[in-house]
Amino acid sequence: MKANLKKYEGYLYIAPWLIGILVFTAYPFITSFVLSLTDYNLVASPNFIGLDNYKRMINTPMFWTSFTNTIKYVVLTVPLKLAFALFIAYILNFKLKGVNFFRTAYYLPSILGGSVAVAVLWRFIFADTGFVNLILGTVGVDPISWLGDPRYAVFTISLLRVWQFGSAMVIFLAALKNIPESLYEAAKIDGATKMATFLKVTLPMITPVVFFNFIMQLVQAFQEFNGPYIITGGGPLNSTYLFPLYIYDNSFKYFRMGYGSALSWFLFVVIMIFTLITFRSEKYWVYYSDEGDE
């Protein structure tokens, strides 16, 4: 009897995790797919309607507007954030006085950036009479309607996401510190410039981390909600109306839970496609130091 209990002891240890993933991940995941095939509206019982929700979305202009806006947002935000995070990590990798303070200070926006309070603060900073236009005014530049002009609104929203570069920066910094010093010494002996050293030594050595950060930032950018919802509400002229806002409005504003579930599954498939493409491209640009051991 005791031997039998010992046999199942491992299952007891993993039970909390197993229950958590089944109840809070697997069940909602499967349920949302089932609901996407119904006309469920939180009031009446759901009726099976097959693929009607999916057919309806491709014939809805707002669906394409929000999806196009989301693609623009992702294309703008992900490269900007990665480049900025790597730039700051590269600087903080030098032995500077008070560097620990700066590492902490640059990480703070990642903790605060997604909060409602910071999003509200962002709206005031980029208002027509806000801090940014005040600074531009001192050098003779006319005020710019950062949040009221469709040409600038997406860019302004993207800056909030870029500002939350702390997590990516910390990961880049850890990768930079793991590059063997002997590689830099060899490059120096060969007479390589700093730019050549960065492009031919530093960047190839951290490509696994670039790959990881790219995937993480890609997924987060596709799911962006707080910034456009709080700062612009999707405006002006729907220029910042991203796909998560479209899902939210249909699900919780108009109570079209079936249609909202179908939209969620569409977003899931899009993220999966982009992620798979990235994984397929990995062999062409990601370098692993243990590849030579195979």
Side-chain angles (χ1 to χ4, degrees):
M1 181 68 179
K2 191 174 180 180
N4 286 335
L5 288 175
K6 192 76 176 174
K7 185 177 173 183
Y8 296 105
E9 189 178 353
Y11 292 105
L12 184 64
Y13 291 134
I14 66 169
W17 174 84
L18 201 59
I19 293 170
I21 197 166
L22 287 175
V23 174
F24 298 112
T25 302
Y27 176 72
F29 190 73
I30 296 169
T31 303
S32 69
F33 180 71
V34 174
L35 288 178
S36 74
L37 304 175
T38 70
D39 61 353
Y40 185 48
N41 60 6
L42 286 179
V43 178
S45 299
N47 298 308
F48 180 76
I49 57 173
L51 298 176
D52 284 1
N53 283 327
Y54 294 92
K55 294 175 184 173
R56 174 185 171 187
M57 71 170 69
I58 61 175
N59 293 315
T60 306
M62 190 54 75
F63 165 81
W64 291 110
T65 300
S66 60
F67 182 63
T68 306
N69 289 340
T70 304
I71 294 295
K72 288 179 184 174
Y73 177 81
V74 171
V75 170
L76 186 64
T77 302
V78 175
L80 268 178
K81 186 174 180 179
L82 290 180
F84 194 62
L86 179 57
F87 175 70
I88 298 297
Y90 189 73
I91 293 174
L92 294 180
N93 192 37
F94 292 112
K95 295 177 181 175
L96 304 172
K97 189 176 181 181
V99 70
N100 288 331
F101 167 77
F102 288 109
R103 286 173 185 169
T104 306
Y106 282 123
Y107 186 72
L108 279 178
S110 293
I111 304 172
L112 304 173
S115 68
V116 174
V118 173
V120 172
L121 177 65
W122 207 257
R123 189 170 62 187
F124 280 104
I125 289 174
F126 284 93
D128 291 349
T129 55
F131 180 72
V132 174
N133 278 335
L134 190 66
I135 296 295
L136 292 176
T138 60
V139 294
V141 178
D142 292 333
I144 298 172
S145 185
W146 297 102
L147 300 174
D149 191 327
R151 293 174 299 171
Y152 306 119
V154 174
F155 176 72
T156 308
I157 296 297
S158 298
L159 286 182
L160 177 59
R161 170 62 67 178
V162 173
W163 185 61
Q164 304 166 43
F165 64 91
S167 299
M169 179 203 71
V170 169
I171 298 171
F172 276 135
L173 189 58
L176 290 171
K177 289 197 168 298
N178 282 328
I179 299 176
E181 195 63 32
S182 58
L183 295 178
Y184 289 116
E185 291 172 358
K188 192 174 181 180
I189 292 171
D190 289 342
T193 62
K194 287 189 177 180
M195 180 57 76
T197 303
F198 176 79
L199 293 176
K200 295 183 179 179
V201 176
T202 305
L203 205 51
M205 292 299 293
I206 63 170
T207 47
V209 173
V210 175
F211 173 74
F212 172 78
N213 270 336
F214 180 80
I215 295 287
M216 297 303 293
Q217 299 309 323
L218 187 76
V219 174
Q220 289 179 14
F222 268 112
Q223 298 175 333
E224 177 62 26
F225 178 82
N226 280 357
Y229 181 75
I230 297 169
I231 298 173
T232 60
L237 300 176
N238 295 323
S239 60
T240 61
Y241 194 66
L242 303 188
F243 207 76
L245 269 69
Y246 186 51
I247 295 174
Y248 173 83
D249 282 349
N250 277 283
S251 301
F252 301 105
K253 205 169 178 180
Y254 308 124
F255 304 115
R256 301 168 184 156
M257 298 301 289
Y259 186 58
S261 298
L263 293 172
S264 299
W265 269 89
F266 174 83
L267 183 60
F268 171 73
V269 171
V270 169
I271 293 174
M272 282 297 295
I273 290 172
F274 275 88
T275 305
L276 287 174
I277 291 173
T278 308
F279 268 93
R280 293 284 293 179
S281 70
E282 180 188 12
K283 60 184 177 184
Y284 298 109
W285 62 276
V286 179
Y287 167 75
Y288 292 102
S289 57
D290 60 346
E291 284 179 340
D293 298 335
E294 295 179 355

